[in-house]
Amino acid sequence: MSSVDRRLLMDRSVAGRRAVTVPEPDVPLTPLPDASLLRDDLQLPEVTEGEVVRYFSLLSQLNFSIDTQYYPLGSCTMKYNPKLNDEMASLPGFSEIHPLQRDHTVQGALQILHELQDMLGEITGLPSVSVDPLAGAQGEFAGLLIARAFHEDRDEGEQRNVALIPDSAHGTNPASAAMAGLEVVTVPSDEHGNVSVEDLRNLADKRTAVFMLTIPNTVGLFEPNILEITKIIHDAGGLVYADGANLNALLGLAKLGYLGFDIAHSNLHKTFSTPHGGGGPGSGPVLVTDELAKYLPTPVVGEVDGKFSLVSPERTVGRLNGFQGSFGIVVRAYTYIRLMGLEGIKAIARNAIINANYIQSQLKDDFDVAYDRYCMHETVMSARRQKANGVSALDVAKRLIDYGIHPPTMYFPLIVPEALMIEPTETESKETLDAFIAVMKTIAAEAQESPELLHSAPHHAANTRLDEATAARKPILRGSDEAAD
Ligand SMILES: Cc1ncc(COP(=O)(O)O)c(C=O)c1O
């Protein structure tokens, strides 16, 4: 906690000090619970109100946040989330309804769900949508169950049990495929970072249930051979799945359905402006062609003569969670899309792409670029040049903290050594990008001239270099020195 006072609240305790003085009650006292339920050894810090406020305010300032600093975290998209979205989601008509209320009492909420289904269908070109999944990975799982149900209905369920997944896919893809009971077969990338079409052609056969493509891939690249790829898979009788968790670079510019995808998911807590990270809640709608609509998870929202109701698709893969998805996130995404409109949606994609390419072009003399070609919403750079001088991607990331910038994602994707995955996002100004570029150049120079400075970074943070493995495995959660088992 800054240079001010690093003592825990307990250590500031002085016997008899109080934060509040409660007046003598002038109403009858309620009896205390049975004595066996009460603790008499409860240790609480005895401090003044001012000390409590100061302590927790300082503690809160140790958080790194998009509202306070620049946060170019690759893959996880820490973009600016308009505050209006939160205001809308907090309206009592949304925040105080119950998921078990009868349909006729929550027509407005159902209409929002229905309209968001339509908007996402329009944006992606995959018209049938369920916003039920609570995370991207759950959307993937739902999509893969849909693929399995489709093949089962054609009596090919047992035979088609392979998911082909490129080595540049997001890590959740193979995990979801395995959970859905599919065997994962990896498709290598070629020297340009694209799917190796030759390998794919050899691998696609009558066992192929689905080919899953993260698009743009985790190296931040669009797949230029996508039409050829979707044709290869369809010719082999398989379905094509798009991991569209991050649609920032495609919004209004390319529709997944038009590219030949049959199934997709998208993370509302990424592209559609709900904060990502921090452990949730999330929302990962699953989107499919009309042909696959009957398999969607239940419920979806239907409309007849202006009346909205929850319906269960004819051959649904089932229910994924207790109710109707993450409704608060749905309201935020709905507000965001309505606020932006079609032109605004396109501007998001264009600015996300321009910002990432600007950073890449300005830094490529200082750091290696994973693949030297135009990127989409993020650029994957590498500290392998610095590594030759003993400085790792981790050292670079830690040093950024000293300059007040959140580190980018490191060591991901796995196919790029010493990876630094930078996603500037669309809302950052040129001044912010230039400041980041200047800091990265300074760090590249420091890596040459004084590598030890980077090995011990951060120097100006509340905590300096941690033993991260121990911190993750034995976190100290109680504000004392005892590590949790
Ligand atoms: C490309 C991609 N796919 C899938 C996911 C999984 O989403 P979630 O973390 O909501 O399960 C992520 C997560 O960030 C992602 O970046």
Side-chain angles (χ1 to χ4, degrees), residues 109-127:
L110 293 176
Q111 183 172 352
I112 297 259
L113 284 158
H114 189 262
E115 287 186 18
L116 186 68
Q117 287 171 190
D118 282 353
M119 290 188 219
L120 294 175
E122 179 63 31
I123 288 169
T124 58
L126 289 167

Side-chain angles (χ1 to χ4, degrees), residues 203-315:
L203 289 168
D205 60 19
K206 56 183 187 323
R207 290 187 60 211
T208 306
V210 66
F211 171 68
M212 271 184 110
L213 184 72
T214 304
I215 184 161
N217 70 15
T218 56
V219 201
L221 303 175
F222 188 73
E223 175 54 66
N225 303 314
I226 187 60
L227 295 177
E228 194 180 349
I229 287 173
T230 50
K231 182 164 183 331
I232 291 173
I233 299 298
H234 287 150
D235 287 350
L239 295 172
V240 195
Y241 185 105
D243 176 342
N246 193 332
L247 286 180
N248 271 312
L250 301 185
L251 287 176
L253 303 184
K255 296 194 182 198
L256 298 171
Y258 293 7
L259 301 177
F261 289 99
D262 306 288
I263 312 172
H265 83 273
S266 182
N267 287 13
L268 298 186
H269 55 284
K270 206 178 243 239
T271 310
F272 298 101
S273 92
T274 287
H276 190 237
S283 176
V286 55
L287 315 112
V288 295
T289 57
D290 278 336
E291 190 189 4
L292 298 174
K294 63 181 172 193
Y295 302 108
L296 281 172
T298 190
V300 293
V301 179
E303 186 241 0
V304 179
D305 297 335
K307 296 249 183 316
F308 301 93
S309 60
L310 296 174
V311 290
S312 189
E314 183 195 334
R315 285 270 296 120

